[in-house]
Amino acid sequence: MNYTEAVDYIESIPKFTTKNPPEHTRELLRRLGDPQRGMKVIHVAGTNGKGSVCSYLNSMLIEGGYVTGLFTSPHLVKINERYQVNSRVIDDDTFLWAFEEVEKAAKEYCREGHGHPSYFETLFLMGMLIFQKAKTEYLILETGLGGRLDATNVIERPFACIITSISRDHTEYLGETIEEIAGEKAGIIKKGVPVIYDAHDPRSVAVIAAAADRLGSPAYPLEPEMYRMISHTKEGIDFTFLPEEGSEVTLSIPYVAEYQMMNASLAYFTMDTLKNTHNIPKETLISGIRNASWPCRMETVMPGVVIDGAHNEDGVAQFVRTAAFFAEENEITILFSAVSDKRYRDMIREISQGIHPDHVVTTQIHGSRQVPCRELAEDFRLEGCRDVQAVEDVGKAFEKALETKGSGMLFCVGSLYLAGEIKEHISRRNQTEEELHAQL
């Protein structure tokens, strides 16, 4: 089997298997030699901000001289993106090797009458082998969905647990209320293991604090008053963070969204909490925060062009807040697409009413959950947007939006799938420009 065949096989797994209980994953790990042991695991759950927090942690640990593994989801363009060693995406040969090892164990387990590992379970098992082979010292592990029943939650003794902001998403699996969803996320807390968590919402705070108390886990709530903005520009944000009395630091982040202050603070707070173990100097941690990079989360990809993967209620609300700030002094163009199982009409309403964009270009993402771009365009018109164009092809839609933007700002939003396709288009665009330049 080659790399392409392995990826095709993994992508087909949802058609012939279902989610398995934690015992299933633990047994497969045992058969693989328990590769997860020996790494200091920082386990991250939450609704929004997980990837950003993971990125900040990863950057700080690398600058501190450690070998890091980073396991995140979903991928934007290529499935290998889910695995990074010291910020480098793994190569195809390593991916194929890990797949073949997991599949060998899975087939043997299936012959004994057990189910095949699920899509995410397969990717998680592969990751543990990949990171063990790379001699990873710190593994930053992002949950896939929820926490309590997530495949990643088989890690018996993580180094620390982090719970980011919680809002309503995947309610069919996690519950309808913030309290129910917080209960699922708090399921990653382990006995005696410190938990650092976002304390903005008293509903989730009550659930997380109770879980930590029940397990005797040291709890470190990140309160809103612990950080304060200094400056906010198109290049990023400077702010102060005060983890405890007398320890104020000034942090700089290369993002334009205010909510990234909370994500960066959570990551720094975690490292400050663990400072007696990693022994990384404060100046190095500050540099790690400043140099962090997390694609398509309010990422400035070109001058005046920002890509954001916001695709749920809270994520869109945060996006609108950021874009509205820049709309005060800039003409705003929106490039939008969404998938059918998201509340895209609510998203369109919030964007239209909160930003009042000057121009809108809609496009569509290929696949079974596609929403026609003309339908999205009509929804924007019904919400009062006047200059709305529908362009089916994502690349052509991006070029149209870029042309329309002029000297203003372009925000690409609505789905991580859209964000990934735009990033791929920009990469091809840059490569073509480089080739043309080389010929001159």
Side-chain angles (χ1 to χ4, degrees), residues 134-153:
K135 295 181 170 57
T136 295
E137 295 171 277
Y138 279 88
L139 171 58
I140 301 147
L141 189 62
E142 180 188 353
T143 58
L145 178 64
R148 182 175 62 91
L149 298 176
D150 192 73
T152 62
N153 204 30

Side-chain angles (χ1 to χ4, degrees), residues 83-118:
Y83 313 101
Q84 293 183 30
V85 176
N86 279 8
S87 286
R88 294 179 64 88
V89 174
I90 64 159
D91 59 47
D92 295 353
D93 289 342
T94 301
F95 183 96
L96 179 59
W97 164 79
F99 167 74
E100 289 176 339
E101 291 297 309
V102 169
E103 192 56 20
K104 190 190 307 178
K107 285 181 176 178
E108 179 184 327
Y109 201 34
C110 287
R111 283 195 292 270
E112 297 173 14
H114 302 280
H116 190 283
S118 67

Side-chain angles (χ1 to χ4, degrees), residues 94 105 123 137 149 198 208 243 268 327 335 350 388:
T94 301
L123 295 174
E137 295 171 277
L149 298 176
D198 167 38
I208 296 167
Y268 187 92
L335 174 56
E350 191 162 359
V388 184

Side-chain angles (χ1 to χ4, degrees), residues 54-83:
C54 288
S55 173
Y56 290 121
L57 289 167
N58 190 51
S59 183
M60 285 186 284
L61 286 163
I62 290 172
E63 296 224 6
Y66 289 100
V67 178
T68 69
L70 178 62
F71 178 74
T72 58
S73 61
H75 58 277
L76 297 174
V77 179
K78 189 174 181 178
I79 198 168
N80 301 40
E81 296 168 19
R82 294 169 181 255
Y83 313 101

